[in-house]
Amino acid sequence: MTSTATAGAAAVSAPTSEAEAVAAVTQQPNATVLAGGTLLVPQHNLGHAEIERVVWLGRAGMSAIVRSNGSITVGAATPLAKCAGLPAPAGPCAARIGDNEVNAQATIGGNVCSPAPYGDMRGPLLALGAQLHWADADGKHTGGVTDFVAAGGSRPGVLLLDVAFAVPAAGSFVALRRHHTQSLCALAVSAVRGGDGAVAIAATGAAPDACRLHAAEAVLAGGGAIAEAAAAAAADADPYDDALASAAYRRRVLPVYVARALEQIGE
Amino acid sequence: MDLTVNSVARTVQSPPLASLLTVLREELDITSPKAGCESGSCGACTVLIDGEPRRSCLTAVCAVDGAEVTTVEGLGTPEDLSRVQQAFIHHYAAQCGFCTDGLVVAATAYVSAGGSADTAAISDALAGHYCRCTGYVKIIEAVAAVARGDEFDIAATASSANNTYVTIAGAGS
Ligand code: FES
Ligand code: FES
């Protein structure tokens, strides 16, 4: 491991393996993870984040995409641009996050760790039923996106290692693109048909955090039509106002996008 | 931290989380990368890191330890402009110039990677760069001309327009 310490500034260590990264993040107090840095660096330099100690993942590896036996594991430090080839909804979502230069530098792990209006990948990973692996002072953990967020996954002292999911039978990603919002996403719907034929639907931007649309899924499981499933989506939504869209607009667009996402997977 | 900036080895003393933009402008006095938004939105700070366009305002300097950084100062000189710089002059692709350095850098990466003269492909490649003056048409024409392999007679451009064009080559601070 190499390290740089500068008086009056954050101390930075640069682990050269995943094991070193786990040790550096979990065994030092207040260790903040720096991956692509596209959110952390401006927050720090504009004075919005006090950072004492940084573990930079640029030399730790953790950026491989491994496919085996119908499943895919993506290292947390994998740049989003490299994730663009993943199956839908993950790939199409990764491809549209940030401008080109940002997309090439930002990582899937950093995105998953960031709340709205970032965290675009949470919806696709929820729909895919992805399992996340992370480490903290208590050891290694496995769980879904919701478990990771509930465990406070983005706080100092936690290191997301990778995300893994089964290759779906079909997947789709439908997102609202609006001029003047950069690439920040006001609303996106992900739909996945698994190997067993069951359909999972998730949304980002329909509620303050990404959520599964269980009521809509239940309509489909019961043999209901797309239009009925789309109408049921509101049951799991909690639309909100922000600079990107009003709650009323989100409420209006959600069923339209649920229907489109379902049509795209051939429901 | 040691980096190579425009082919010159430099050792920098800034704190490790300082942005590359700040290090270039304040410590190394290389002022072509502009601080537009300092949050990754405008593209004015774009530089090449190991040949790839990156936002210097989003890049911690510790993350480029050992890397090669190129700014407009490393692409051409007022006497010997790069082809992208010539094209920007010939096609009047710069007005106030604030976005120009980032665009020249990104366009250089685009054409070096074999980018085509297709307008949609150029728009996609440069999508993260805001220009408040030109309306983009001239910028896209300039990049397409480079991709096509056009030759530029800069002296003729200057005399026909009676223009003091060379300022964009060196870019003010
Ligand atoms: S200053 Fe870096 S993108 Fe605007
Ligand atoms: S020339 Fe003025 S912002 Fe582009």
Side-chain angles (χ1 to χ4, degrees):
Chain A
M1 191 187 311
T2 54
S3 71
T4 315
T6 304
V12 176
S13 59
T16 53
S17 68
E18 181 177 299
E20 279 188 9
V22 169
V25 174
T26 63
Q27 290 168 19
Q28 305 183 90
N30 296 324
T32 297
V33 178
L34 172 67
T38 56
L39 294 172
L40 188 71
V41 169
Q43 275 171 16
H44 174 70
N45 287 323
L46 297 172
H48 302 148
E50 282 294 321
I51 297 170
E52 198 177 307
R53 198 179 303 279
V54 164
V55 178
W56 175 51
L57 300 184
R59 304 224 160 95
M62 299 179 63
S63 58
I65 297 179
V66 179
R67 295 162 196 262
S68 82
N69 294 332
S71 73
I72 300 180
T73 303
V74 185
T78 307
L80 290 168
K82 204 173 151 189
C83 298
L86 293 173
C93 177
R96 71 176 298 289
I97 301 171
D99 300 321
N100 296 330
E101 292 88 352
V102 177
N103 193 258
Q105 182 164 331
T107 64
I108 188 169
N111 187 271
V112 170
C113 287
S114 304
Y118 311 109
D120 315 61
M121 291 301 292
R122 289 181 182 181
L125 294 175
L126 271 177
L128 286 161
Q131 291 293 295
L132 278 56
H133 300 108
W134 69 93
D136 62 18
D138 298 328
K140 292 196 176 172
H141 309 274
T142 300
V145 171
T146 312
D147 304 317
F148 177 71
V149 172
S154 55
R155 70 182 195 279
V158 182
L159 179 63
L160 179 62
L161 305 173
D162 55 52
V163 306
F165 55 86
V167 176
S172 63
F173 180 72
V174 179
L176 187 58
R177 294 206 79 145
R178 303 178 77 189
H179 293 301
H180 311 302
T181 59
Q182 300 285 344
S183 55
L184 293 176
C185 185
L187 181 73
V189 174
S190 299
V192 165
R193 182 152 22 78
D196 59 0
V199 173
I201 315 169
T204 42
D209 202 355
C211 60
R212 280 278 290 272
L213 303 178
H214 292 292
E217 294 170 4
V219 169
L220 290 177
I226 286 182
E228 292 168 61
D236 293 292
D238 179 16
Y240 58 102
D241 293 308
D242 70 3
L244 300 178
S246 66
Y249 189 65
R250 289 183 154 97
R251 195 173 292 116
R252 184 87 173 84
V253 174
L254 179 66
V256 178
Y257 280 17
V258 168
R260 284 184 194 167
L262 292 175
E263 279 157 15
Q264 285 184 22
I265 59 166
E267 276 306 297
Chain B
M1 289 158 288
D2 300 306
L3 37 157
T4 304
V5 184
N6 298 330
S7 307
V8 179
R10 310 294 295 253
T11 298
V12 301
Q13 311 290 337
S14 296
L17 284 189
S19 71
L20 176 59
L21 174 66
T22 307
V23 171
L24 289 169
R25 289 185 60 87
E26 309 305 328
E27 186 175 343
L28 301 179
D29 197 24
I30 295 171
T31 55
S32 72
K34 298 290 182 276
C37 62
E38 293 187 76
S39 57
S41 303
C42 72
C45 68
T46 302
V47 301
L48 299 180
I49 298 176
D50 293 331
E52 298 285 335
R54 291 287 184 272
R55 299 285 156 83
S56 64
C57 71
L58 300 184
T59 304
V61 67
C62 67
V64 289
D65 192 10
E68 198 157 317
V69 176
T70 307
T71 68
V72 163
E73 288 85 346
L75 296 178
T77 63
E79 298 72 35
D80 183 21
L81 297 169
S82 76
R83 281 177 44 72
V84 172
Q85 288 171 313
Q86 292 176 29
F88 269 59
I89 293 167
H90 187 78
H91 286 276
Y92 299 95
Q95 290 185 25
C96 81
F98 198 84
C99 69
T100 307
D101 304 273
L103 275 159
V104 164
V105 163
T108 300
Y110 174 77
V111 291
S112 315
S116 77
D118 178 66
T119 313
I122 295 170
S123 299
D124 267 0
L126 304 181
H129 294 256
Y130 280 12
C131 175
R132 300 294 78 174
C133 304
T134 65
Y136 303 102
V137 172
K138 296 289 174 189
I139 294 169
I140 292 167
E141 281 175 8
V143 180
V146 181
R148 275 197 308 269
D150 286 9
E151 294 297 329
F152 310 105
D153 185 346
I154 297 306
T157 310
S159 61
S160 72
N162 192 21
N163 222 340
T164 51
Y165 64 89
V166 283
T167 48
I168 77 161
S173 51

